[in-house]
Amino acid sequence: MRGRPNRNRESRDHAGEPAGDGGPEEAARYLAATVADLGLIARRHGLDTLGFLLDMAQMEAEDIVRLRATRDQN
């Protein structure tokens, strides 16, 4: 299908190297930052509902990071 990545190919980072698995916390941190940027783009172009949904995704990812940090301290 056009526009979708080939899921059978190995994931790569921005430098073209195979992506490492930093675990769920690293993934949540990355997703929080990425959807924050996407939310800004959406709102800049008047896509308010999409911006809202991306804000919710950002909050969820940040909650995951926060809860894991709290759990790891105990």
Side-chain angles (χ1 to χ4, degrees), residues 7-56:
R7 295 182 193 273
N8 295 328
R9 291 179 38 191
E10 186 176 351
S11 295
R12 299 201 174 267
D13 66 9
H14 294 289
E17 296 295 321
D21 184 8
E25 185 175 344
E26 183 178 337
R29 287 181 190 277
Y30 174 78
L31 290 166
T34 302
V35 296
D37 291 340
L38 292 172
L40 289 172
I41 293 168
R43 280 187 298 284
R44 184 178 304 138
H45 294 282
L47 305 170
D48 297 329
T49 301
L50 184 55
F52 172 78
L53 292 171
L54 290 164
D55 288 345
M56 297 303 292

Side-chain angles (χ1 to χ4, degrees), residues 1-7 9:
M1 190 178 295
R2 188 175 184 196
R4 288 192 174 188
N6 183 346
R7 295 182 193 273
R9 291 179 38 191

